[in-house]
Amino acid sequence: DGGITQSPKYLFRKEGQNVTLSCEQNLNHDAMYWYRQDPGQGLRLIYYSQIVNDFQKGDIAEGYSVSREKKESFPLTVTSAQKNPTAFYLCASIDRSASTDTQYFGPGTRLTVL
Amino acid sequence: EDQVTQSPEALRLQEGESSSLNCSYTVSGLRGLFWYRQDPGKGPEFLFTLYSAGEEKEKERLKATLTKKESFLHITAPKPEDSATYLCAVQAWGAGSYQLTFGKGTKLSVIP
């Protein structure tokens, strides 16, 4: 089955720790995105990547880092510099060759800081 | 700056009671307007893309419409399984990054 997978589903982090969230897609999509979702707020863009080995900051990139070494993978690291990391994190991808620019989302990772 | 406002924030309907959700937007030039459904603790599920004013799309009990300033998601004779948060997002022309601007969503509850 084609789709986007995120792992883990739940993640707990202690203060001062870095953690990495996984996002993998087998849809052969070029562009991938990371969003953060907080209660009562719209999805906010953290980072995006349009091609391998290239990525750009979104609206709330501070305290986060990414890499894009493979087309299929776009991991997100939440660093200790992120002051309020507890949130629901969503990965998405888009097929740029299609006539529609629809973003498809993974199931999400819920990160909680202890 | 692109903006999306969804109303109401929450809506409770009796099963079979039709209604509409609103998505008002301001964008420099609309490339596409997207509707998603999100169940608690899950990722958004794509429903519709609308591109130009006057366009309509339907899927089961849902129909999305688009004007130059807003979009409506009409729900006809809803069932309890339609309960979810519905998200609206816009994409502007010139957004080479294919970025979307999302609204905060409307939480729909359908009571049996």
Side-chain angles (χ1 to χ4, degrees):
Chain A
D1 288 337
I4 303 171
T5 58
Q6 292 186 241
S7 62
K9 185 173 182 178
Y10 299 98
L11 185 57
F12 298 91
R13 192 193 92 169
K14 293 182 179 179
E15 294 278 354
Q17 278 185 337
N18 293 353
V19 291
T20 298
L21 284 59
S22 170
C23 178
E24 304 276 337
Q25 54 98 0
N26 60 4
L27 300 167
N28 199 34
H29 287 173
D30 296 308
M32 298 184 73
Y33 301 77
W34 274 106
Y35 291 91
R36 170 180 172 140
Q37 188 174 36
D38 295 281
Q41 296 201 36
L43 275 67
R44 293 182 291 168
L45 183 65
I46 304 172
Y47 267 98
Y48 63 94
S49 169
Q50 298 190 73
I51 57 173
V52 173
N53 292 323
D54 186 53
F55 48 83
Q56 285 78 40
K57 294 181 179 180
D59 300 321
I60 55 165
E62 184 176 353
Y64 300 97
S65 65
V66 294
S67 63
R68 186 87 185 276
E69 298 177 359
K70 299 187 299 182
K71 188 175 185 178
E72 303 79 22
S73 178
F74 191 39
L76 173 74
T77 297
V78 184
T79 74
S80 57
Q82 170 49 237
K83 299 196 182 308
N84 184 22
T86 294
F88 190 50
Y89 290 86
L90 290 160
C91 178
S93 68
I94 184 172
D95 182 0
R96 293 173 57 199
S97 64
S99 58
T100 59
D101 302 330
T102 303
Q103 288 194 10
Y104 296 94
F105 286 85
T109 292
R110 184 165 299 281
L111 173 62
T112 303
V113 174
L114 301 174
Chain B
E1 182 181 336
D2 302 336
Q3 290 189 337
V4 176
T5 303
Q6 292 188 246
S7 62
E9 291 185 11
L11 181 63
R12 286 171 60 94
L13 299 174
Q14 291 291 324
E15 184 173 1
E17 180 186 3
S18 301
S19 188
S20 296
L21 282 55
N22 177 263
C23 172
S24 297
Y25 64 91
T26 55
V27 64
S28 52
L30 183 68
R31 181 171 185 168
L33 184 140
F34 302 82
W35 281 99
Y36 290 86
R37 168 194 171 124
Q38 186 175 25
D39 293 305
K42 297 189 176 181
E45 174 190 348
F46 170 71
L47 293 174
F48 304 109
T49 308
L50 301 168
Y51 293 100
S52 58
E55 189 174 2
E56 298 182 354
K57 288 193 176 175
E58 290 189 63
K59 180 180 181 180
E60 296 181 355
R61 295 176 293 281
L62 300 177
K63 184 169 90 171
T65 62
L66 181 65
T67 72
K68 289 186 177 180
K69 294 184 178 180
E70 56 193 348
S71 177
F72 292 94
L73 185 64
H74 306 278
I75 304 176
T76 302
K79 298 181 178 181
E81 52 263 41
D82 294 322
S83 297
T85 296
Y86 291 85
L87 304 175
C88 174
V90 297
Q91 182 187 39
W93 282 106
S97 62
Y98 299 84
Q99 289 190 49
L100 298 182
T101 300
F102 282 85
K104 295 181 181 181
T106 293
K107 184 176 182 180
L108 174 66
S109 301
V110 181
I111 311 303

